[in-house]
Amino acid sequence: EPEVTQTPSHQVTQMGQEVILRCVPISNHLYFYWYRQILGQKVEFLVSFYNNEISEKSEIFDDQFSVERPDGSNFTLKIRSTKLEDSAMYFCATQPPGADTQYFGPGTRLTVL
Amino acid sequence: QQQVKQSPQSLIVQKGGISIINCAYENTAFDYFPWYQQFPGKGPALLIAIRPDVSEKKEGRFTISFNKSAKQFSLHIMDSQPGDSATYFCAASGGSGAGSYQLTFGKGTKLSVIP
């Protein structure tokens, strides 16, 4: 069964550094999402992406965050200048056309020191 | 208005018992209500989902009950097994254009099924 994959599984970075989290969606899926989950808390929506542009974004998704689909397959989340409070699990989710289900990847654990 | 409230925070059930997790929402634009199961270190996986045009949906040992007037929905796990021990999240989404439906999650319920 096709799966959403994410790399890296764990990223450790220094505060102020840029990080790029990568996701490979299930092929033929058209809608892409990033969510984050701070340890022990609920999953929170960051941004949705469709037709090569942002559809919606939450108040968490400020100017430090950006998303793109650079090569038509990978879907990336960039954090320009990481803060301690960016430490979390970041999940990519993808959704096929005409369906409600979002399929989540295994996540990237981001640790900002 | 975007909140989804979930209870209880944690639940301990004997093997073979019924696990019940409840959620309530406020936003009447929500029209899709999935439940996700999450094991430690893994991403959430869809368990079962319902739309408000039905009051109940059953898949195997898992049942969603939906009360539109009360804006509540619940997950029932029949014959709970130790392998069901995980964190369960309810979620909701509503049409917001362009086919993109952000999920609003509850805070999660940590279920432990003891032998």
Side-chain angles (χ1 to χ4, degrees):
Chain A
E1 187 176 325
E3 292 181 336
V4 177
T5 59
Q6 289 185 244
T7 55
S9 56
H10 191 191
Q11 173 93 46
V12 181
T13 190
Q14 294 290 324
M15 189 169 58
Q17 294 297 303
E18 175 183 285
V19 295
I20 297 176
L21 311 183
R22 292 181 169 80
C23 168
V24 178
I26 297 171
S27 65
N28 90 315
H29 286 201
L30 297 181
Y31 307 101
F32 312 113
Y33 305 82
W34 283 102
Y35 293 85
R36 79 171 185 191
Q37 185 178 32
I38 294 171
L39 187 63
Q41 298 188 23
K42 68 176 178 178
V43 178
E44 299 176 289
F45 169 77
L46 293 178
V47 66
S48 59
F49 192 83
Y50 169 72
N51 201 25
N52 286 319
E53 60 183 30
I54 290 174
S55 305
E56 293 176 291
K57 57 184 180 179
S58 71
E59 59 272 14
I60 302 169
F61 194 88
D62 61 22
D63 291 344
Q64 292 301 310
F65 291 87
S66 63
V67 289
E68 64 175 0
R69 204 162 177 230
D71 56 9
S73 60
N74 292 297
F75 177 51
T76 64
L77 174 69
K78 183 193 290 186
I79 309 175
R80 268 181 264 283
S81 179
T82 50
K83 304 176 191 133
L84 294 175
E85 55 265 37
D86 292 329
S87 295
M89 279 289 280
Y90 287 80
F91 293 106
C92 171
T94 73
Q95 180 180 347
D100 298 311
T101 304
Q102 292 182 27
Y103 296 84
F104 282 73
T108 292
R109 179 170 297 285
L110 177 65
T111 302
V112 182
L113 303 177
Chain B
Q1 197 176 17
Q2 289 293 327
Q3 269 194 324
V4 176
K5 294 181 180 178
Q6 183 172 348
S7 62
Q9 192 173 356
S10 63
L11 182 61
I12 299 174
V13 172
Q14 290 276 125
K15 179 182 173 182
I18 303 173
S19 305
I20 302 174
I21 306 170
N22 300 299
C23 283
Y25 64 98
E26 298 171 355
N27 188 347
T28 54
F30 287 149
D31 62 0
Y32 173 69
F33 302 89
W35 284 89
Y36 280 83
Q37 180 188 56
Q38 186 181 32
F39 292 104
K42 304 289 186 184
L46 179 70
L47 196 60
I48 187 173
I50 197 168
R51 284 198 168 269
D53 51 344
V54 295
S55 59
E56 187 174 283
K57 183 174 181 181
K58 185 175 180 179
E59 289 183 3
R61 297 185 292 110
F62 302 94
T63 300
I64 300 179
S65 297
F66 187 84
N67 185 330
K68 189 175 180 178
S69 60
K71 291 187 282 187
Q72 295 175 347
F73 58 111
S74 60
L75 175 70
H76 292 61
I77 306 174
M78 312 298 287
D79 187 27
S80 300
Q81 299 296 312
D84 296 331
S85 298
T87 298
Y88 292 81
F89 292 94
C90 62
S93 72
S96 56
S100 170
Y101 302 98
Q102 60 165 286
L103 290 169
T104 300
F105 282 84
K107 289 189 174 182
T109 297
K110 186 173 182 180
L111 172 66
S112 300
V113 181
I114 53 176

